[in-house]
Amino acid sequence: MKNIYTFGSALSSQVLLLTVMLGSSVTNSYAGWEVTWIDQFNGTSVDWNNWTAQTQANYNNEIQCYTDDETDNVGNYKVSDGTLKITARRQNINCPGLNDENRPWTSGRLNSKDKGEFLYGRIEARLRFDELKGGTWPAFWMLENRIAEQPIKGDNDNVNWPNPGAGEIDVWEWYGNSGGDNYITNFFNANNCGSEKRIPYQGGAPDVMSFQTYGIEWGADFIEFFMNDQVVAEYDLSNCPQYEEPMFILLNVAIGGSLGGNIDPQLNTATLEVDYVAHCVASDANESANCNQSTPTITDDDNDRVRNEDDECPETANNTEVNASGCEIIDTPLTSAPDVNFEAEDVISLFSDQFTNIQDIDYNPDWNQATIVTQENIDGNNTLKYSNLNYQGTDFSNNKQNVSQMDFLRFDYWTKAATQLSMYLISPGPQETPFVVDVQSQSWESVTIPLTAFTNVDLTDTFQLKVTGNGDVLLDNIIFTRTVKENNVAPELSLSATQNLAQVTSITTTGGMVVINAIVTDSNEQDTHNLRWDVTGVSDFTTDGNQISFNPAALTVSQIVISAQASDNGSPSLSVSSDLSLILIQPDPVIVAQPDPVEPENSSGGTISLYMFFGLTLIVLRRKYLQWN
């Protein structure tokens, strides 16, 4: 059973500073934690319901062969006395997982992929490593669950590291060749959204040989790293959407390679010992600050690892694959997309059984995409299916459409587990603008996009659509429409900038804090709005509702572009976007004028220098002053 565990809503989405704070105490904005998943290693063998031995791993020029061997004295895994021991051993092997390639070391690498996957919360382990000699590289870390690594279940796990869907968070990793006085926290992904910190041990390298507790607290907009309940690093992730996918846990000991480095000739074995690993969700029901064997466990009557208060399907059968709401995950919809309520004269149809589609349209142009396009019959209705979506076009360049008299681009989608989806409308140039969809899975969802959202597209001359995303996605009722029969009206959005309380269109590095305000108006007074920000040219800014602010003092770019998208909660949900560009003016350097030097002439020439002239003048004036007074 695959389960995705989500962070409880009790944890606020505060914005955290990009800092390292050594020795600071934990300050939670929630009451406590509840365990959803824990392995205390109380048995006599690895619990293979929780773990997979990743025997096909071959990375970073490491020299070990990862095995699934639990044999006493020669194996790489042992569970005894309440702990897990992963031991690397100097021994030759024709490695089964690597096509019998000969390797001089064996070791172990466990992951919880497809067995324990987590979206937000607190993840914690207590562990120690028994060796300080060079050449070892033990780690407690995480990967996003769509990575193309063993085990391959076929549920969209086809993304290569470190792209979104295959990102990495290193909670703790250590290697002796660094001197061992520090351990590493790190997180990797595309788009320069990651950072490494090396955390010093108070007692130096020997501290790695005694049990320490390492963990993270992770939400959509932040991550905190802990050692022994002290915050050692924290980051703002509000501009890192790639860390918003479920992740699984890994425990391993690597030998040599790019970080393990040269192997001490006296090194023959090295063991990572783990007391427990656990995942928790935030809870108001207790004040437990940790996530371990003493932390209360969620109340879960149907044993699907989703607590009762979050379980929207409280009677799922055992071994049912469920989502974060505790409902069964299905592979395909049981019903077709719902009919749409429009008159034919108000529609330009690209793909729909309800209307006559335009002529000369290609649903699968060759753009070197990985996406596989098919048309499926779902409950008697023809449906467009994108499998293994990365990007996909729909081309009607032989029948370009003037949609300037239309108001919306509308479509329905269904996905089992996709997490990203964007729709582009394109005119020649190409001129294109994405609309980012807030993806919901396991149900048909309708998206209605105001054509005004496609800001740089020539609506009189459109000729393509493009969809980007991940996973498998079904699409239907892709139409332009002139009216929306529901009463919802799209909000309006405007942006303004101030520096030192004055409204500006350009800013200076010395003018103080810059504040960007978003003003959202909506004729549907009952609507609430979600605001999404995108900032180009500034990496360090804070958000506070409909406002962002930053200090431009250290900026070197010439232009800053701020984009915002406001979405309402109407039916259907409608959105609008707005952009603001600011010119950054660097102050002119201050130049102090210097007088031209005056060379004194030789005294034999009889000429008095300027310096002597000014000096005599001052003497005369002073004497006159004394006479007058």
Side-chain angles (χ1 to χ4, degrees), residues 7 10-12 26 28-33 122 217 224 282-284:
F7 215 153
L11 182 60
S12 67
V26 179
N28 294 332
S29 56
Y30 43 86
W33 297 102
R122 181 172 174 117
E217 292 179 9
E224 294 178 310
S283 171
D284 290 323

Side-chain angles (χ1 to χ4, degrees), residues 536-609:
T536 302
V538 180
S539 59
D540 187 9
F541 60 90
T542 60
T543 61
D544 182 13
N546 287 15
Q547 186 180 91
I548 66 171
S549 58
F550 61 89
N551 188 337
L555 297 181
T556 58
V557 297
S558 60
Q559 185 178 37
I560 298 161
V561 179
I562 299 100
S563 300
Q565 182 184 91
S567 302
D568 66 20
N569 65 336
S571 179
S573 176
L574 301 177
S575 300
V576 66
S577 299
S578 183
D579 297 326
L580 177 66
S581 295
L582 295 174
I583 303 299
L584 180 65
I585 300 173
Q586 301 286 349
D588 293 330
V590 177
I591 300 174
V592 178
Q594 298 292 335
D596 292 329
V598 178
E599 294 291 338
E601 295 194 16
N602 190 291
S603 58
S604 62
T607 303
I608 301 175
S609 72

Side-chain angles (χ1 to χ4, degrees), residues 28 81 118 156 161 206 235-236 292 295 310 322 337 354 420 431 449 457 477 518 532 540 554:
N28 294 332
D81 302 320
F118 315 103
N156 304 320
W161 183 94
Y235 303 91
D236 177 3
N292 55 35
T295 306
D310 297 329
V322 300
Q354 245 184 283
Q420 299 174 20
Q431 299 293 326
I449 309 171
V457 176
N477 298 322
R532 182 195 299 267
D540 187 9

Side-chain angles (χ1 to χ4, degrees), residues 322-518:
V322 300
N323 60 18
S325 300
C327 297
E328 180 180 2
I329 295 177
I330 58 176
D331 293 325
T332 56
L334 302 177
T335 61
S336 62
D339 289 342
V340 290
N341 185 25
F342 298 102
E343 301 296 333
E345 60 268 23
D346 294 326
V347 168
I348 296 174
S349 179
L350 303 182
F351 185 92
S352 177
D353 282 0
Q354 245 184 283
F355 306 99
T356 301
N357 299 326
I358 66 171
Q359 298 294 311
D360 297 323
I361 186 167
D362 183 357
Y363 298 112
N364 192 21
D366 184 6
W367 292 359
N368 296 314
Q369 67 271 36
T371 311
I372 299 171
V373 179
T374 56
Q375 295 189 31
E376 308 286 329
N377 188 300
I378 306 294
D379 193 26
N381 190 64
N382 195 35
T383 307
L384 198 60
K385 182 176 182 179
Y386 293 165
S387 301
N388 190 32
L389 173 63
N390 61 339
Y391 60 91
Q392 179 60 44
T394 296
D395 183 53
F396 44 97
S397 55
N398 291 328
N399 188 7
K400 294 179 180 179
Q401 295 295 305
N402 179 354
V403 298
S404 60
Q405 299 305 308
M406 295 291 167
D407 299 313
F408 303 96
L409 172 61
R410 185 202 181 282
F411 63 94
D412 297 307
Y413 75 91
W414 189 99
T415 182
K416 173 185 176 181
T419 58
Q420 299 174 20
L421 187 67
S422 294
M423 175 68 77
Y424 295 70
L425 178 61
I426 307 174
S427 61
Q431 299 293 326
E432 58 183 49
T433 303
F435 181 89
V436 179
V437 176
D438 183 12
V439 181
Q440 306 296 317
S441 60
Q442 297 288 297
S443 61
W444 279 108
E445 301 291 334
S446 298
V447 179
T448 302
I449 309 171
L451 292 180
T452 53
F454 301 111
T455 52
N456 64 337
V457 176
D458 182 357
L459 298 180
T460 68
D461 194 24
T462 66
F463 74 112
Q464 289 173 340
L465 297 181
K466 181 174 71 175
V467 176
T468 63
N470 59 47
D472 293 351
V473 179
L474 296 167
L475 296 169
D476 202 359
N477 298 322
I478 306 172
I479 59 175
F480 297 99
T481 179
R482 185 174 286 110
T483 58
V484 175
K485 296 300 182 182
E486 293 84 358
N487 293 325
N488 192 34
V489 176
E492 296 181 359
L493 172 65
S494 62
L495 303 179
S496 64
T498 60
Q499 186 172 35
N500 196 21
L501 302 180
Q503 189 159 331
V504 294
T505 57
S506 62
I507 60 175
T508 66
T509 56
T510 58
M513 292 295 292
V514 177
V515 178
I516 311 298
N517 287 291

Side-chain angles (χ1 to χ4, degrees), residues 293-329:
Q293 51 268 62
S294 64
T295 306
T297 302
I298 60 171
T299 304
D300 177 20
D301 291 340
D302 60 355
N303 197 34
D304 61 358
R305 294 179 177 171
V306 178
R307 59 185 174 187
N308 286 353
E309 57 264 44
D310 297 329
D311 199 337
E312 297 177 6
C313 303
E315 297 181 359
T316 51
N318 286 339
N319 299 318
T320 300
E321 188 177 9
V322 300
N323 60 18
S325 300
C327 297
E328 180 180 2
I329 295 177

Side-chain angles (χ1 to χ4, degrees), residues 117-184:
E117 298 180 350
F118 315 103
L119 181 62
Y120 310 143
R122 181 172 174 117
I123 295 159
E124 179 178 305
R126 183 171 180 263
L127 55 85
R128 66 182 177 185
F129 190 62
D130 75 344
E131 186 54 74
L132 298 180
K133 296 184 180 70
T136 58
W137 181 5
F140 160 41
W141 52 304
M142 302 170 65
L143 288 168
E144 287 179 322
N145 71 343
R146 292 190 295 114
I147 194 167
E149 291 188 13
Q150 180 190 14
I152 301 292
K153 188 177 178 181
D155 51 350
N156 304 320
D157 44 0
N158 49 33
V159 181
N160 293 319
W161 183 94
N163 297 298
E168 174 180 338
I169 296 175
D170 298 329
V171 186
W172 169 88
E173 60 179 2
W174 180 90
Y175 62 105
N177 279 322
S178 69
D181 292 339
N182 305 294
Y183 77 92
I184 300 171

